[in-house]
Amino acid sequence: MSAQKDLASSRHDLILVTGATGKQGGVTARRLLDTGRSVRVLVRDPESAAAQALAAAGAELAVGDFDRPETLAPALAGVGAAFLVPPAAYGPDGWDVDLEVARGRAFIDAAAAAGVEYIVFTTVASLTEDGQWGAQGKRRVEEALRASGLHWTILRPVRFMENYLMRGFPVDGINDGVHRHLFPADKPIQSIAIEDIAVIAQLAFDDPARFHGEVLELAGDALTMTEAAAAITAATGHQVRYVEASQADAEAMGPEVGVVWRLSREGRGWHADIPVVREIHPGLRTFEAWLAESGAARLKSLLD
């Protein structure tokens, strides 16, 4: 890994975390605070419970909105580095790629104008090189970041282990003892704990010279969906079985979902090099480790 000399010893004092009231941003903000870093979080509603919890943990609140670019400059004032999670836009017609790209570019432009030196951008791993299931907009934001003149690291995490906690969606989560998803039951599917994304982001902020210019596909384990269901059963004491969604069910959820169903049966899949990720982060969690640490207790509270 390499970087320009002016980045070699840089550990930026103030880090702005976007998406801080969401999954990745929230865990990353807390990880940085726990390791003694100064953190400012971008929030739309400073009075929300999530924002107030971050403030209580030591984060500085900055009110701003990706859809109001004029609010980004004050939030970025005095910031040396940023964790970027531009809000995705998904509706009945699928992904609004142009809106997602506009949000990402607005932030990158504002960061460059504010003198920010380094951005860690978390995007998404995809099943194909051109990107599937929400990756297209993120890839265009990646291109804008590369062309910005800023120092950068791009993280591409696979499916979250925490997705088993989801409720009310046609696929994923556990309902009445059934985990239903798009993937074949007998093929290993990569996953990662959100906390591990935060750890790797923190490592990048601690050593930007090492990580500048890197695109890291992130996964911590690869189990078949049937193996994962059996692990949940053993860890929680609740019988969980895996059921594959049919092609018709997948296509009824939208054309991109149908494509994911088809590609996963053609042998396409996430391709993070887990041993390489573990070299970067030796404490990288396996699925069983995630269950033992927190996942099983959280799942049990939903399944009891």
Side-chain angles (χ1 to χ4, degrees), residues 26-218:
V27 173
T28 299
R30 291 181 179 278
R31 174 74 188 186
L32 292 169
L33 288 165
D34 288 345
T35 55
R37 305 305 298 273
S38 298
V39 175
R40 179 184 293 166
V41 295
L42 184 72
V43 298
R44 285 184 295 180
D45 179 6
E47 301 304 322
S48 70
Q52 286 297 305
L54 286 166
E60 175 189 343
L61 303 185
V63 178
D65 190 330
F66 280 87
D67 292 331
R68 294 192 295 134
E70 70 277 6
T71 66
L72 298 177
L76 286 160
V79 166
F83 184 73
L84 175 58
V85 193
Y90 187 78
D93 297 323
W95 297 96
D96 189 335
V97 170
D98 290 339
L99 178 57
E100 184 176 2
V101 173
R103 289 169 170 170
R105 286 178 174 165
F107 185 89
I108 291 166
D109 290 345
V116 172
E117 295 180 4
Y118 181 54
I119 290 179
V120 176
F121 176 30
T122 181
T123 70
V124 65
S126 60
L127 302 177
T128 63
E129 286 301 317
D130 59 345
Q132 293 292 339
W133 188 240
Q136 294 94 329
K138 293 174 177 59
R139 295 296 178 266
R140 286 168 57 188
V141 179
E142 288 181 11
E143 291 170 5
L145 182 57
R146 286 188 179 97
S148 68
L150 299 172
H151 298 96
W152 53 267
T153 299
I154 293 168
L155 308 181
R156 292 179 177 175
V158 300
R159 176 177 172 268
F160 302 153
M161 294 176 185
E162 286 80 0
N163 283 7
Y164 282 101
L165 302 168
M166 293 169 60
R167 310 290 276 181
F169 292 88
V171 294
D172 231 336
I174 299 169
N175 297 286
D176 298 323
V178 172
H179 176 232
R180 186 166 173 264
H181 215 309
L182 308 172
F183 305 110
D186 59 348
K187 293 186 178 181
I189 303 298
Q190 292 187 333
S191 62
I192 189 165
I194 294 174
E195 179 66 37
D196 287 326
I197 303 171
V199 171
I200 292 168
Q202 172 244 312
L203 293 172
F205 285 120
D206 283 351
D207 193 355
R210 177 188 177 193
F211 288 93
H212 167 58
E214 292 294 311
V215 179
L216 301 175
E217 303 272 340
L218 302 182

